[in-house]
Amino acid sequence: MCGIIGIVLRERGLLLKPLGTAIKECLKNLEYRGYDSVGFAILSNDGLVIRKSKGKIDDVTSKLSFDESDGVCGIGHTRWATHGKPSDVNAHPHIDCSGRIAVVHNGVIENYLEVREVLVGRGHEFKSETDTEVVAHLIEEYKKLGLKPYEAFKKAVSLLRGSYALSVLDLDEPSKIFFARNTSPLVIGIGEGVKFISSDIPAFLDYSRDVIVVQDYEVGYISRDVVVIEKLMDRNYEFDTNPPGTELVDHSSRVRHIDWTPEMARKGGYPHFMLKEIHEQPQAVTNTLISVPEELEETTKLVSKADRVLVVGSGTSYHASLIGGLLLNDIAGIKAHAVISSEMKWFINSVDEGDVVIAVSQSGETIDTLLALREAKRRGALTIALTNIIDSALARESHLTIYTRAGPEIGVAATKTFAAQVVTLTYMAIKLAERLRTAPEGRVSDLKSWLRELPNIMSAAISISESKVRALSGVTTIWRSIYYLGRGLGLPTSMEGALKLKEVAYIHAEAYPAGESKHGPIALVDDGFPVAFTILGGEVDLILSNVEEMRARGAWTLAVMPKGLERISRYFNYIFELHHLPYELTPAVYIIPYQLMAYYAAVARGYDPDKPRNLAKTVTVV
Ligand code: F6R
């Protein structure tokens, strides 16, 4: 949903490279947030230098001459188009009529048409179709009415409705970058002689690991010497020049040191982040299993008293939620349901103080999940965030937070964060079973010791699967459509596998409960139609009848299944045989061949798996 960056240096050349180059590098680290267009603005001796273009950074680097632009203060943007098609003119930064104010934005200004109309009435000329451009003209208008640049910026922000992370340069107040946030993520990075404002931490990890997360309705600026943050107190949306009420924020206690390293945000020899992150899963699980037991101590006490648990998430996080919901029922005997965040609205009437709502989100910023959490909290439910991002919106707004320790995930398709979420929810179910004595002691300790083995089993699954998947990529290039069928935990695992293939290889993939496939989906199956079966262990005979039904119609069948099931191997054209482990712990392992299959299918079809078309890593629009 767009990536923004702002950099202020104490002196020119401090980063040992031109500022334009630094902006380009930061934007590369944010490209997972959108890549429809790219642009930057730098305050130089000649005034405001602005360059922008449709296309990905690598494709337009020479056209934009990043490396030839230097200064001490600049902003940049990589776009995921919402208002206005991807084009040079719709690329950010956007400027006012005078060309003295440059704005980059992530989010959606909901009242932009109304504001635009007023501004056109006051003589402003708009060049783009974007919602963002109103911000530049609005600041200009308030300046014309007599406000100083920073006051005009605050006033403009107070008039905006919708979501925004904004970063603004104004020639009349040089060497400051103004910023504001509502809903869309924004973090400040503080380094030696340099300050950043950005949509996400990986943008500036090379220079700073001390961060302040900007909160909703905060405005402020970074300059060479200071960080100023104010809370915007009144948002009355009046078109007048009364300065909006603000309160200065003491942010000193909000500085967090991040333990991510710059290497984590680099490809480290892998051709793509997605492949690197698939390989990092054992480590992500190891790190999560080290930290999570302590964090879960308090949480499980509270969850054990719940009448009901709702596990809420979107996309991959929803699939992890489904696994968590099934395990809370199965292992811990807790009434639990998974709900898609954007569908929570239709469940919310029954939510009350007896409920616990666990909001699962890699980014902690997905707006659908945040809205679901807010509403559940308002109705008295205990809310728990499960997220990978420190101080993210979900973490701040929930009663309790559990952090996965997957490290930064840059590839748009979630992989290692899924593994970390699944393992955390599994551990939670086991802890609850222990506390509530809903499972025999032997089973609990057995699961715990298998959990410790999980990273090794995952590493083995990666090596076993990778060569087999490579050999398959010729076949996947002819697929147009595929079913993924499973039962129990095999269903969310199949759903996640299908999502990955759709996202990065653009192959239509549909997951279905295997037993339900004969009630409709089978109508599409004819000679050679690919069907993947996720077989986790306990459901072999049940699923076999579904395999037979598909084969009878000519389906080409693939299985992801445990070793040692030779008796059923003749039913499949292609088999991934994985370690045999307790059914409850299978999803984090059995998803691996599917992740790799999606990755290699994308590469074989000539797509960039790190930047799937039309997708953005953090979805901050409803
Ligand atoms: C799938 C994917 C998306 C996200 C979804 C939720 O590979 O990346 O489906 O899972 O947008 O994002 P988070 O987990 O940040 O809430």
Side-chain angles (χ1 to χ4, degrees):
M1 300 278 114
C2 304
I4 70 173
I5 182 75
I7 308 179
V8 182
L9 301 175
R10 193 174 51 215
E11 67 219 31
R12 198 182 261 248
L14 190 122
L15 300 179
L16 305 176
K17 57 185 77 162
L19 185 59
T21 309
I23 290 176
K24 177 184 70 182
E25 288 170 1
C26 292
L27 287 177
K28 282 286 293 173
N29 292 339
L30 288 175
E31 222 182 358
Y32 65 88
R33 302 183 62 85
Y35 23 83
D36 290 327
S37 64
V38 56
F40 67 94
I42 287 181
L43 278 173
S44 77
N45 295 341
D46 311 324
L48 204 51
V49 173
I50 296 181
R51 304 219 173 96
K52 55 186 193 169
S53 171
K54 180 182 166 191
K56 293 181 186 164
I57 298 171
D58 283 344
D59 300 336
V60 300
T61 291
S62 54
K63 177 176 170 193
L64 298 189
S65 322
F66 285 95
D67 303 337
E68 287 154 31
S69 310
D70 204 3
V72 290
C73 202
I75 56 177
H77 188 269
T78 177
R79 179 169 187 241
W80 187 86
T82 58
H83 293 63
K85 61 181 182 301
S87 68
D88 290 358
V89 74
N90 288 334
H92 298 216
H94 291 286
I95 52 170
D96 65 324
C97 300
S98 70
R100 300 183 72 76
I101 301 164
V103 177
V104 291
H105 166 223
N106 167 30
V108 173
I109 308 290
E110 286 163 11
N111 59 338
Y112 85 102
L113 283 175
E114 182 187 320
V115 177
R116 187 173 166 136
E117 202 179 305
V118 174
L119 291 169
V120 168
R122 291 176 180 234
H124 290 261
E125 280 179 29
F126 283 77
K127 297 184 191 74
S128 76
E129 303 156 282
T130 66
D131 51 338
T132 306
E133 196 181 342
V134 294
V135 182
H137 292 278
L138 204 49
I139 300 170
E140 179 184 32
E141 184 61 23
Y142 283 124
K143 281 170 69 181
K144 270 199 223 153
L145 294 173
L147 293 180
K148 296 224 164 63
Y150 179 54
E151 297 306 317
F153 168 71
K154 287 194 284 185
K155 183 68 191 171
V157 171
S158 78
L159 205 90
L160 303 177
R161 256 179 268 143
S163 56
Y164 48 79
L166 286 165
S167 188
V168 172
L169 280 185
D170 190 324
L171 255 186
D172 297 319
E173 211 155 314
S175 42
K176 277 185 188 159
I177 297 177
F178 305 151
F179 62 80
R181 167 194 172 142
N182 179 34
T183 309
S184 303
L186 198 60
V187 284
I188 296 166
I190 304 164
E192 203 38 57
V194 54
K195 296 194 185 61
F196 300 86
I197 184 86
S198 171
S199 302
D200 206 352
I201 298 163
F204 53 72
L205 265 182
D206 272 324
Y207 308 103
S208 161
R209 290 203 261 158
D210 291 322
V211 307
I212 303 171
V213 176
V214 180
Q215 301 187 359
D216 282 349
Y217 300 120
E218 286 185 342
V219 293
Y221 60 83
I222 50 172
S223 72
R224 44 175 282 175
D225 303 315
V226 290
V227 172
V228 169
I229 305 180
E230 296 178 72
K231 190 92 187 164
L232 209 46
M233 302 310 286
D234 66 63
R235 299 179 290 279
N236 59 8
Y237 315 120
E238 293 301 326
F239 210 93
D240 58 35
T241 52
N242 300 329
T246 55
E247 244 173 37
L248 200 61
V249 173
D250 175 8
H251 51 75
S252 50
S253 61
R254 278 174 39 193
V255 181
R256 298 265 181 282
H257 186 72
I258 303 294
D259 59 6
W260 296 355
T261 62
E263 290 69 38
M264 285 174 162
R266 293 199 187 104
K267 286 187 198 151
Y270 286 91
H272 297 99
F273 281 110
M274 183 176 175
L275 189 60
K276 176 179 177 243
E277 287 159 5
I278 291 171
H279 279 260
E280 282 174 346
Q281 292 185 106
Q283 193 59 51
V285 167
T286 302
N287 294 348
T288 302
L289 283 175
I290 290 170
S291 64
V292 142
E294 202 184 313
E295 291 184 15
L296 280 177
E297 210 45 57
E298 182 60 22
T299 320
T300 45
K301 250 185 241 165
L302 297 167
V303 178
S304 67
K305 297 186 190 125
D307 296 337
R308 174 177 69 159
V309 176
L310 295 177
V311 197
V312 182
S314 300
T316 291
S317 294
Y318 170 62
H319 300 151
S321 305
L322 280 168
I323 291 165
L326 284 170
L327 290 176
L328 286 170
N329 280 284
D330 183 38
I331 312 181
I334 286 180
K335 276 187 208 141
H337 308 275
V339 184
I340 293 178
S341 307
S342 57
E343 292 290 308
M344 183 69 169
K345 197 174 167 31
W346 285 272
F347 284 80
I348 205 76
N349 265 347
S350 69
V351 173
D352 61 24
E353 303 81 24
D355 290 324
V356 166
V357 170
I358 305 176
V360 183
S361 170
Q362 176 279 131
S363 61
E365 304 284 349
T366 298
I367 189 67
D368 289 329
T369 310
L370 193 56
L371 292 176
L373 177 121
R374 279 183 189 155
E375 192 49 30
K377 192 174 176 188
R378 204 181 65 76
R379 287 174 168 268
L382 175 80
T383 54
I384 301 171
L386 173 57
T387 178
N388 198 43
I389 304 295
I390 198 159
D391 280 355
S392 55
L394 276 182
R396 291 196 313 272
E397 295 199 24
S398 57
H399 293 106
L400 296 164
T401 301
I402 308 162
Y403 286 112
T404 49
R405 298 295 203 282
E409 188 176 66
I410 313 282
V412 166
T415 51
K416 62 175 177 171
T417 52
F418 173 72
Q421 290 168 347
V422 165
V423 161
T424 306
L425 291 165
T426 309
Y427 192 85
M428 180 189 272
I430 297 171
K431 282 292 286 180
L432 281 161
E434 196 173 24
R435 177 174 283 281
L436 296 167
R437 298 181 198 284
T438 43
E441 233 171 73
R443 189 176 176 211
V444 166
S445 56
D446 194 37
L447 287 174
K448 276 189 174 171
S449 55
W450 274 99
L451 210 47
R452 282 192 287 278
E453 283 305 307
L454 204 60
N456 290 336
I457 298 173
M458 292 173 78
S459 296
I462 293 170
S463 358
I464 293 166
S465 307
E466 197 152 21
S467 53
K468 290 216 74 170
V469 167
R470 279 212 197 99
L472 191 65
S473 53
V475 179
T476 60
T477 50
I478 56 166
W479 289 350
R480 292 286 159 269
S481 191
I482 174 170
Y483 285 139
Y484 284 65
L485 305 183
R487 287 175 179 252
L489 291 173
L491 178 58
T493 310
S494 297
M495 291 165 80
E496 178 57 11
L499 180 68
K500 291 288 92 89
L501 194 72
K502 260 186 290 222
E503 277 182 305
V504 300
Y506 315 146
I507 296 170
H508 173 252
E510 191 177 350
Y512 230 81
E516 189 69 5
S517 58
K518 56 188 175 290
H519 296 284
I522 200 165
L524 265 66
V525 175
D526 57 10
D527 262 357
F529 190 102
V531 184
F533 288 88
T534 313
I535 302 173
L536 304 180
E539 75 294 41
V540 179
D541 291 323
L542 272 177
I543 221 168
L544 219 48
S545 56
N546 310 127
V547 180
E548 297 256 42
E549 289 150 15
M550 291 294 166
R551 281 172 57 85
R553 271 92 194 161
W556 181 93
T557 53
L558 175 152
V560 173
M561 65 185 204
K563 273 188 211 139
L565 286 178
E566 286 79 15
R567 71 182 170 95
I568 66 165
S569 36
R570 68 187 169 85
Y571 292 94
F572 300 101
N573 298 85
Y574 211 81
I575 298 179
F576 291 95
E577 282 186 305
L578 301 178
H579 207 297
H580 191 90
L581 72 165
Y583 165 78
E584 294 84 346
L585 305 186
T586 45
V589 177
Y590 282 48
I591 190 60
I592 288 170
Y594 290 150
Q595 293 170 333
L596 287 165
M597 205 161 91
Y599 171 78
Y600 282 104
V603 173
R605 291 161 78 99
Y607 304 129
D608 178 350
D610 283 345
K611 302 189 189 86
R613 66 187 176 212
N614 306 334
L615 297 182
K617 182 104 187 128
T618 309
V619 182
T620 49
V621 290
V622 285

